[in-house]
Amino acid sequence: MPHSHHSHSGQFCRHAFGSLEEVVLEAIKQRFEVYGLTEHVPRYRPEDLYPEERDLSLDDLSKQFLSFLNEAHRLKEVYASQITLLVGLETEYITDDDLSHLQKLLKDNERRIDYIVGSVHHVSTIPIDFDRVTYEKALANFSNGEGVYILGNDQMERFLSAYFDAQHQLIQQFQPEIIGHLDLCRLYTPSLDLRQYPIAWGKLIRNIEEATRYGALFEINAAAFKKEGWTSPYPGKDVVGLIQEKNGRFALSDDSHGPRTVGQYYLDVADYLVHVGITELWYLDCSSEPNHNGRYISPRRIECDWRLHTFWKHREGERRGIVS
């Protein structure tokens, strides 16, 4: 049962650490049964490179991603007897060109990409998860000329709406199997109640209904626990409740950025699942038949009570200093 659908390595992501093989070996050590390898797709404008990537060219990023696919499939074969590795990607949507490039990338690498983690990290071409200063720049983009709020909550309403509109475009066009950190838009405002922004909330409802319709899984992303002010994974309790109301299905992700963060905060995630009443979990598995997008992957429901799996007992023992 233990699984994760979203991960990165320092070998192919400059803000992560360690090699891809080290990530895999740590997942095996922690007794994961299914583990997804999902590096970011390339970006296609020089201005979209992050500071740690300034020595790379756009061509370097494209070659790096193809190298990731090669290494991920090598590891998938080498460790097949110890763990089920899935090879996927995490999307970027900065401009419409990113979606055109993604379409070509998927076509050129058919059967090499098992699934998609559909994520949005930018609003109006500005990163919203790099640092607070950059996030505030993205938010200020929805102010009037003096950079002040318009009609009270209107600035945040429009910012959130732009985020959910970009998310909807991804969902509609690519139907990702995993919806990544659904409410990343409030990374720096963890206590923000999305229900107070009715236009944005309506767009979120639309996105959840659309993704549920074709069978997407919504990730419970453990990485939020390491963010300032967060006491839950992504998505927060209000969004989880909405997904439950719409009969959406959940899967787990550690969103690790190197071997040190594989499985990090999973016990906290387990506590959260119990708290919000998630009794059913799903995971992705290879399939002999193509899914709605022609990818050979399908969701599987964990048949037993997920809380009874030995994975959780082992981790609880580690928390108490008992190693089996």
Side-chain angles (χ1 to χ4, degrees):
M1 169 263 152
H3 58 263
S4 174
H5 295 88
H6 184 169
S7 66
H8 304 279
S9 72
Q11 187 174 355
F12 301 108
C13 174
R14 286 287 180 91
H15 61 268
F17 303 91
S19 70
L20 193 63
E21 187 160 15
E22 287 171 335
V23 169
V24 170
L25 289 172
E26 183 61 27
I28 292 171
K29 178 183 176 182
Q30 292 191 28
R31 307 184 186 185
F32 277 87
E33 294 173 1
V34 176
Y35 204 82
L37 308 177
T38 57
E39 299 292 3
H40 293 280
V41 295
R43 275 148 287 124
Y44 299 97
R45 302 188 310 166
E47 57 265 43
D48 295 327
L49 286 125
Y50 290 102
E52 67 269 18
E53 300 172 322
R54 294 305 183 191
D55 62 317
L56 299 176
S57 67
L58 298 179
D59 191 49
D60 289 335
L61 285 183
S62 293
K63 289 178 179 177
Q64 178 178 271
F65 184 79
L66 295 179
S67 295
F68 154 67
L69 289 180
N70 292 336
E71 176 66 355
H73 279 282
R74 183 187 75 82
L75 296 172
K76 184 176 184 175
E77 183 176 343
V78 168
Y79 295 105
S81 64
Q82 300 176 68
I83 193 170
T84 297
L85 295 177
L86 304 177
V87 181
L89 59 80
E90 185 178 14
T91 61
E92 297 286 358
Y93 183 10
I94 307 169
T95 74
D96 288 343
D97 282 347
D98 292 288
L99 303 189
S100 299
H101 283 290
L102 177 56
Q103 194 74 59
K104 185 177 187 303
L105 184 69
L106 292 168
K107 183 178 180 181
D108 290 347
N109 294 279
E110 196 174 3
R111 298 302 296 267
R112 300 187 74 209
I113 296 170
D114 295 328
Y115 70 105
I116 293 175
V117 177
S119 300
V120 174
H121 306 92
H122 296 70
V123 173
S124 296
T125 76
I126 302 172
I128 61 169
D129 64 342
F130 180 69
D131 59 25
R132 182 177 289 275
V133 171
T134 312
Y135 158 77
E136 289 176 353
K137 180 181 176 183
L139 185 60
N141 216 37
F142 295 90
S143 299
N144 67 8
E146 287 71 44
V148 297
Y149 287 160
I150 307 168
L151 299 178
N153 289 338
D154 187 61
Q155 182 193 46
M156 182 61 76
E157 182 86 79
R158 290 196 285 166
F159 168 78
L160 295 171
S161 293
Y163 173 84
F164 290 126
D165 280 343
Q167 189 177 73
H168 184 246
Q169 182 63 35
L170 265 178
I171 289 170
Q172 269 201 320
Q173 188 168 342
F174 295 99
Q175 298 189 329
E177 287 80 4
I178 299 289
I179 306 299
H181 38 60
L182 184 61
D183 55 350
L184 184 72
C185 53
R186 57 180 173 184
L187 167 60
Y188 293 105
T189 54
S191 62
L192 189 72
D193 185 350
L194 295 176
R195 291 167 294 193
Q196 298 303 309
Y197 304 91
I199 297 172
W201 184 253
K203 292 175 184 290
L204 174 60
I205 292 172
R206 171 200 62 191
N207 293 1
I208 291 171
E209 289 177 342
E210 180 76 19
T212 300
R213 191 174 298 118
Y214 70 79
L217 303 181
F218 297 90
E219 71 169 9
I220 300 292
N221 185 313
F225 277 111
K226 66 185 177 185
K227 307 299 184 180
E228 183 179 352
W230 278 82
T231 58
S232 77
Y234 305 116
K237 186 177 179 181
D238 53 347
V239 179
V240 165
L242 183 56
I243 295 170
Q244 291 170 315
E245 179 185 319
K246 301 299 180 180
N247 297 314
R249 303 180 295 185
F250 298 96
L252 300 185
S253 292
D254 61 15
D255 197 356
S256 63
H257 280 65
R260 289 178 295 177
T261 52
V262 169
Q264 191 175 36
Y265 301 112
Y266 257 38
L267 280 179
D268 297 300
V269 166
D271 292 341
Y272 180 71
L273 296 178
V274 172
H275 176 66
V276 297
I278 295 177
T279 58
E280 186 175 277
L281 288 174
W282 294 69
Y283 65 98
L284 293 179
D285 192 17
C286 294
S287 172
S288 59
E289 297 293 328
N291 66 9
H292 53 278
N293 263 321
R295 293 185 283 272
Y296 287 77
I297 200 88
S298 61
R300 310 281 186 205
R301 183 171 64 86
I302 295 171
E303 295 298 333
C304 62
D305 186 337
W306 63 265
R307 294 167 295 185
L308 302 180
H309 196 281
T310 56
F311 174 83
W312 301 107
K313 295 178 181 178
H314 177 74
R315 294 186 83 85
E316 187 61 44
E318 288 181 332
R319 177 152 65 178
R320 297 175 181 177
I322 304 169
V323 180
S324 59

